Amino acid sequence: MSGNEAYLQGGSSNGQGDIEMADSDDELEEDHPDDDEDDDEDVVDDSNAVPAPGDDDEEEDAAVAKRRAIQSILRDTSLSEEERRQRIQSLMSGGRTAPAPAPAVPAGVMEEESCVHYERNCSIVAPCCGRVYGCRVCHDELSGHAPLNRFEIREVVCRQCQTRQPASNNCISCGIQFGEYHCGICNLWMARSKKPFHCMECGFCRVGGVESFRHCTECCMCISVNVFNTHNCFKDKYKNNCPVCREDMFSSRQSPQDLPCGHAIHAHCFRKLAGFDYRCPICKKTVVSQQSMAAAWEARARDIAEQPMPADLQRVVDIMCNDCETKSHQRQWHFLGVQCPSCNSFNTVVEQVTNGENNTPNNPTAQNGSGNNPPSGGTPPAAGPTC
């Protein structure tokens, strides 16, 4: 006869079978001899036991605590939908009133494969939040908190076998290469099609090919060899924000560009700006050459000659030219602009009204009053973007 059978037989008769129970059970039998049958049934199967009336309050408290735990999980914005489902399921099945801590790398999370910034076979583990992202740019776009410091990345996750491991260029598990180009300083993995290279002076990896750029110690930037000898050199010129989009140009992935006045701007921001304004957003000088603007100035002067101002709106004003910085006096004001007699530019500012109403007219030169887009121009991108 097996031990379980002997235990069941003894329990069904008088609670004293051939096999002795543990001390605690013996004491329980001695204290409550009339409850032996119930105790044995509880040991065999307690899944269908009916709680005593006194347990109702405890069950109600447990249900309230469980509901609060579920609400806490739903309010946690740091969790993904999959993590919320797993925690609620674990809470309901295990009876826990507190969610288990989230793993640093959630199982099965490979949404990073949709990364469109780099061609690579690994994802990074963000050192700031412990989450997995396709790259540092994905982190900055999706995380909602401070930008990731690329130099602090210490771990990656292989997209082939999903093994978490120290940062390197080959998976320690399946051996796959993470990127054609790998920089252990910048923690960068990418294809070589964009010709990436690391500039020790800049401290970043840039694209475009090391043979196409030279580092300018004064500007503190890699400058294109095509304009290196002629570029306007100013100390730390590129360590400023773009005047249009306000992004840092030194570490930007977009190419900065020099304007004729010496200020720098993103190349793509300059193209958008040139669609409605022909001036530098900082110093207001014309961003294209006087030769390129000559036709536009002539058309503006012709329009003014054909549309004289009515007598009640005629004004005599003093102006200053933004291009040649020359002041001129006793000029006839027109709503299309006031031409500089020194350089023929209409990029002028009214400083004072000397005849007519005391109110200074609105400066018509703040816009392209001719109604025609100014000629496109400017120098090509001068500096190399970062990776």
Side-chain angles (χ1 to χ4, degrees), residues 78 103-106 109 111-112 120 122-157 159 164-167 187 189:
S78 65
V105 182
V109 176
E111 60 184 2
E112 303 80 17
R120 56 173 62 172
C122 67
S123 302
I124 64 169
V125 180
C128 54
C129 57
R131 293 187 169 275
V132 181
Y133 292 93
C135 66
R136 66 176 183 87
V137 185
C138 290
H139 169 275
D140 296 345
E141 293 176 351
L142 302 175
S143 66
H145 52 259
L148 185 147
N149 187 337
R150 70 186 82 186
F151 305 108
E152 295 181 354
I153 297 174
R154 295 294 179 265
E155 291 181 296
V156 297
V157 177
R159 293 181 182 173
R164 179 168 173 165
Q165 55 197 283
N187 292 304
W189 297 264

Side-chain angles (χ1 to χ4, degrees), residues 158-204:
C158 177
R159 293 181 182 173
Q160 185 72 21
C161 63
Q162 300 187 19
T163 300
R164 179 168 173 165
Q165 55 197 283
S168 66
N169 197 33
N170 292 93
C171 178
I172 60 176
S173 179
C174 64
I176 190 174
Q177 187 182 47
F178 293 146
E180 295 179 356
Y181 173 83
H182 171 234
C183 176
I185 300 176
C186 298
N187 292 304
L188 176 67
W189 297 264
M190 64 181 297
R192 290 190 176 275
S193 57
K194 293 186 177 181
K195 300 180 179 180
F197 66 97
H198 184 86
C199 176
M200 296 302 296
E201 289 83 359
C202 291
F204 295 109

Side-chain angles (χ1 to χ4, degrees), residues 238 240-254 266 268-269 386:
Y238 293 97
N240 293 295
N241 295 335
C242 172
V244 176
C245 68
R246 308 304 300 166
E247 181 186 3
D248 174 46
M249 288 186 292
F250 180 69
S251 60
S252 174
R253 299 177 70 242
Q254 303 294 332
H266 277 142
H268 71 284
C269 291
T386 186

Side-chain angles (χ1 to χ4, degrees), residues 17 47 104 192 281 330 340:
S47 60
R192 290 190 176 275
Q330 303 296 312
C340 173

Side-chain angles (χ1 to χ4, degrees), residues 210-275:
V210 64
E211 70 281 355
S212 301
F213 293 91
R214 288 178 58 188
H215 185 85
C216 177
T217 56
E218 187 71 14
C219 295
C220 196
M221 176 65 83
C222 289
I223 306 296
S224 172
V225 295
N226 297 326
V227 297
F228 185 85
N229 295 327
T230 58
H231 78 282
N232 293 319
C233 194
F234 297 111
K235 184 174 180 59
D236 296 336
K237 176 171 61 176
Y238 293 97
K239 288 189 174 181
N240 293 295
N241 295 335
C242 172
V244 176
C245 68
R246 308 304 300 166
E247 181 186 3
D248 174 46
M249 288 186 292
F250 180 69
S251 60
S252 174
R253 299 177 70 242
Q254 303 294 332
S255 299
Q257 173 176 322
D258 276 350
L259 298 180
C261 58
H263 293 114
I265 186 176
H266 277 142
H268 71 284
C269 291
F270 170 74
R271 289 191 293 269
K272 293 180 181 179
L273 179 68

